Amino acid sequence: MALLITDECINCDVCEPECPNQAIYLGKEIYEIDPQRCTECVGHFDEPQCVQVCPVACIPLNPDFIESRETLWQKYQRLQAESAAAVVQARVL
């Protein structure tokens, strides 16, 4: 499952730099999580880092994106492959 930042977010800025997948970004009013990039830190850490650092506990599971640990692992692998391809592409240019 991807995570979701609720409207209790106080825009404290601590979650964004903790995300290893760059899934967290500043939305119109609060920080948001891109569910296509969120792996709940699978592949990086044992627990979601944004949840660990959030001072107001406003990052629950996103009920619209139910994913198994295996699916999160596959997403992690896809993101890693895309990142590696981008590095190769940057070197070519």
Side-chain angles (χ1 to χ4, degrees):
M1 287 172 249
L3 299 171
L4 168 74
I5 297 176
T6 66
D7 59 4
E8 286 98 24
C9 175
I10 59 172
N11 290 331
C12 67
D13 303 320
V14 298
C15 61
E16 182 185 26
E18 295 299 320
C19 181
N21 297 316
Q22 292 86 39
I24 300 175
Y25 60 95
L26 185 57
K28 276 185 161 181
E29 297 179 22
I30 61 173
Y31 279 90
E32 297 181 23
I33 297 177
D34 178 351
Q36 302 305 313
R37 297 194 65 81
C38 178
T39 65
E40 294 182 44
C41 291
V42 167
H44 295 283
F45 301 101
D46 292 333
E47 298 181 45
Q49 298 302 287
C50 59
V51 173
Q52 294 297 311
V53 299
C54 182
V56 292
C58 68
I59 308 176
L61 294 173
N62 187 337
D64 294 334
F65 291 91
I66 307 300
E67 298 170 296
S68 68
R69 189 153 183 90
E70 177 61 30
T71 300
L72 293 170
W73 176 253
Q74 291 170 357
K75 189 188 307 185
Y76 162 77
Q77 291 177 316
R78 176 184 55 83
L79 291 169
Q80 293 300 303
E82 288 173 4
S83 179
V87 168
V88 169
Q89 181 67 21
R91 288 183 183 162
V92 170
L93 298 177

